[in-house]
Amino acid sequence: MTEQPDPSEADDFDEIVEAETTRDPDLAVIEAGSRTLRTHGGAPQGDAVPGRPADPEVDAALRAVETELAGRWGETKLEPSVTRIAALMDVLGEPQRAYPTIHITGTNGKTSTARMIEALLGAFELRTGRYTSPHVQSITERISLDGLPISAERFVETYDDIKPYVEMVDAREEFRLSFFEVVTGMAYAAFADAPVDVAVVEVGMGGTWDATNVIEAGVAVVTPIDLDHTDRLGNTTAEIATEKSGIIKQGATVVLAQQPVDAAQVMLKKAVEADATVAREGMEFGIVGREVAVGGQLLTLRGLGGEYEEIFLPLYGAHQAHNAVVALAAVEAFFGVGSQQPGPLDIDTVRKAFASVVSPGRLEVVRRSPTVVLDAAHNPAGARATADGLTEAFGFSRLIGVVAASADKDVKGLLEAFEPVFAEIVVTANTSQRTMDVDELAAIAVEVFGDERVVVEPRLDDAIEAAITLAEEEDEYAGAGVLITGSVFTVGDARLMLKRG
């Protein structure tokens, strides 16, 4: 029997529970049928974003692979089935079953949460594989071993190794494997070949029919669900949650970030059906304390095994603190904290891990005087979190936005989220084929900001230069800054232009 925690230690945490004023009483009916998880009573170094290979032969080989992959269905063209990826796993010998996995779905925060989980596992001396998407600059970022993207040489070798099997499946199926399905197969094969002790896998989109969902993850993580990809996943958060709940497997542990009530209902119902154990942010775990610190924030987190104090996280924004506590709970669940293992994880190891976390393109400072920040926010919820994080951490006297967005997103909602914090906005385009036409984006921006606050620059490099000029315009705006945002593609392009990574 594990000792119950001292009630006096839980006072702050109780306030979190009491603050959940939006919770639907009907959830209690669902929760009564599910178990909840709560204990009673050398980390990877920075994850670099690689540029093009320096060796011309390696670069040519990587470009050849990229060209072949680009000839397949893109990531936005989907056929809701795991039939093809399951067939590929079969002919490869089921590599995804060679290691345990933590599977991550949700709308926002998946990649940052994956990076934090990876850092924690690495700090506890486990060999990790991480699969995330999309990439910021290099396709090799999608497949990481021990906290670092695999080399271009290894990426090419992995592709060459599975290519005959890919072609075999292509010949059998009605449709060829998609870009995402092939890269997912590469990741699972690379992890088995390494071999890794545990894989951290982010879905590409949704859950049930996502190509990653051929794993039987013991821990399923659901980051905050909001409206995105509504043409494919549904028009309400409940409909989207239904699709995303497909990663919850029989007997798994489900780690839920704070969710809209209808999404929480769906997830908890699925957990009951799968006889899964549930850990909910704000109930079984949560943020006890948070304060802005130089270069990030200082946290006190309530995990499944107890309290973790003085956790320095070198990332900005309340949303990253929420990602951190979700990541902590996921790793605790992986190690059996709250079930097999009493008490918290080693605090010094946890501190070391969080202090090592990087998340390129997420409120990332890439220049000073004026300060230029990159953020990959691409939907209204993400933009609101970014705006709040900027306001809290930077306190710019004047902020100029540079925005290039994808045409299939809620661009008006994105701009409306940024309107209160942008003094002016420079609209532009990125190199993706999905980028919104600049004139169309400008028309929406004028509707949101007014004509006098909108600048149009068709080229991203010119847009960045224009924004920096605006930020430097007058001495009284010495505290001005620039935010480049709207898409992961925009951030990747800007990072290359500003010679990062």
Side-chain angles (χ1 to χ4, degrees):
M1 177 69 69
T2 309
E3 185 177 346
Q4 296 281 345
D6 184 342
S8 64
E9 296 177 357
D11 288 345
D12 290 338
F13 192 66
D14 288 341
E15 293 179 9
I16 299 173
V17 178
E18 292 172 7
E20 287 216 28
T21 56
T22 60
R23 287 177 58 79
D24 188 330
D26 289 343
L27 289 181
V29 177
I30 301 172
E31 288 166 1
S34 66
R35 299 188 302 276
T36 58
L37 183 60
R38 167 92 174 272
T39 290
H40 301 298
Q45 297 305 306
D47 193 344
V49 177
R52 298 301 310 182
D55 185 325
E57 291 187 6
V58 175
D59 186 48
L62 180 60
R63 288 186 187 277
V65 172
E66 290 170 324
T67 299
E68 289 190 26
L69 289 170
R72 296 179 174 272
W73 275 2
E75 290 178 276
T76 60
K77 185 173 182 179
L78 304 167
E79 194 267 325
S81 166
V82 294
T83 302
R84 291 179 305 279
I85 185 67
L88 179 60
M89 293 297 100
D90 181 56
V91 296
L92 288 174
E94 304 290 350
Q96 81 282 12
R97 301 189 187 281
Y99 38 81
T101 51
I102 297 175
H103 206 176
I104 306 170
T105 191
T107 301
N108 291 308
K110 295 188 295 295
T111 298
S112 292
T113 303
R115 287 175 175 274
M116 293 178 196
I117 291 172
E118 173 189 53
L120 284 162
L121 293 169
F124 284 99
E125 299 184 353
L126 292 180
R127 185 158 205 210
T128 58
R130 172 172 54 82
Y131 181 52
T132 53
S133 60
H135 55 273
V136 176
Q137 284 181 202
S138 171
I139 194 171
T140 61
E141 297 166 38
R142 294 173 180 246
I143 305 173
S144 289
L145 293 172
D146 295 323
L148 292 173
I150 63 174
S151 66
E153 293 93 333
R154 190 162 190 171
F155 189 92
V156 172
E157 289 169 3
T158 303
Y159 177 77
D160 288 341
D161 285 344
I162 76 164
K163 183 177 178 179
Y165 302 96
V166 169
E167 292 173 344
M168 187 184 305
V169 174
D170 285 344
R172 293 177 183 174
E173 298 295 327
E174 181 181 1
F175 303 107
R176 294 191 343 160
L177 288 153
S178 70
F179 167 93
F180 188 73
E181 287 169 332
V182 174
V183 179
T184 299
M186 290 172 60
Y188 289 161
F191 296 159
D193 186 58
V196 301
D197 296 313
V198 55
V200 183
V201 178
E202 173 191 334
V203 303
M205 186 187 301
T208 301
W209 45 258
D210 185 74
T212 63
N213 201 32
V214 288
I215 53 177
E216 295 288 332
V219 179
V221 178
V222 187
T223 65
I225 292 173
D226 213 295
L227 298 179
D228 200 5
H229 301 295
T230 54
D231 57 330
R232 298 175 179 86
L233 302 180
N235 294 311
T236 68
T237 49
E239 291 176 349
I240 293 171
T242 299
E243 171 57 33
K244 291 181 182 293
S245 70
I247 73 164
I248 299 174
K249 302 300 167 54
Q250 192 71 26
T253 298
V254 186
V255 178
L256 289 178
Q258 290 179 340
Q259 303 290 347
V261 169
D262 62 350
Q265 288 176 319
V266 169
M267 289 292 171
L268 291 168
K269 182 175 184 292
K270 176 67 173 183
V272 172
E273 294 170 353
D275 193 29
T277 302
V278 179
R280 302 153 296 176
E281 183 183 5
M283 298 298 287
E284 284 71 50
F285 65 94
I287 300 170
V288 175
R290 188 179 77 87
E291 58 185 88
V292 177
V294 176
Q297 50 194 309
L298 193 64
L299 309 174
T300 299
L301 305 178
R302 179 77 175 202
L304 304 175
E307 198 162 290
Y308 298 79
E309 298 179 337
E310 297 182 359
I311 304 296
F312 175 68
L313 181 67
L315 302 175
Y316 301 106
H319 59 297
Q320 294 289 18
H322 288 283
N323 292 337
V325 78
V326 168
L328 174 63
V331 173
E332 285 182 310
F334 178 80
F335 283 124
V337 173
S339 52
Q340 295 88 30
Q341 177 182 320
L345 300 174
D346 179 72
I347 184 64
D348 289 334
T349 305
V350 170
R351 286 171 179 156
K352 177 184 177 183
F354 276 120
S356 74
V357 170
V358 295
S359 195
R362 277 75 179 177
L363 285 178
E364 179 187 17
V365 177
V366 293
R367 172 180 164 157
R368 300 285 185 181
S369 297
T371 299
V372 177
V373 182
L374 305 180
D375 193 87
H378 55 271
N379 57 45
R384 288 191 292 271
T386 296
D388 289 344
L390 277 168
T391 301
E392 174 185 79
F394 294 92
F396 292 121
S397 60
R398 182 170 179 243
L399 181 64
I400 311 300
V402 175
V403 177
S406 296
D408 58 346
K409 298 295 183 179
D410 179 5
V411 176
K412 185 176 182 182
L414 177 87
L415 297 184
E416 287 174 340
F418 282 125
E419 190 278 331
V421 297
F422 285 170
E424 293 175 83
I425 180 172
V426 183
V427 297
T428 186
N430 57 49
T431 57
S432 168
Q433 293 181 345
R434 294 165 54 192
T435 193
M436 177 173 276
D437 176 78
V438 175
D439 290 336
E440 184 180 350
L441 178 57
I444 299 172
V446 168
E447 184 179 347
V448 174
F449 288 85
D451 184 70
E452 69 283 355
R453 295 168 63 192
V454 178
V455 177
V456 181
E457 288 288 353
R459 290 166 47 108
L460 180 57
D461 54 350
D462 292 335
I464 294 172
E465 184 177 349
I468 291 173
T469 299
L470 286 169
E472 293 175 331
E473 205 165 52
E474 298 178 38
D475 290 340
E476 65 180 291
Y477 294 132
V482 173
L483 174 69
I484 304 171
T485 189
S487 167
V488 175
F489 302 108
T490 304
V491 166
D493 290 347
R495 228 174 176 272
L496 285 170
M497 291 173 186
L498 294 165
K499 301 187 184 303
R500 292 286 297 184

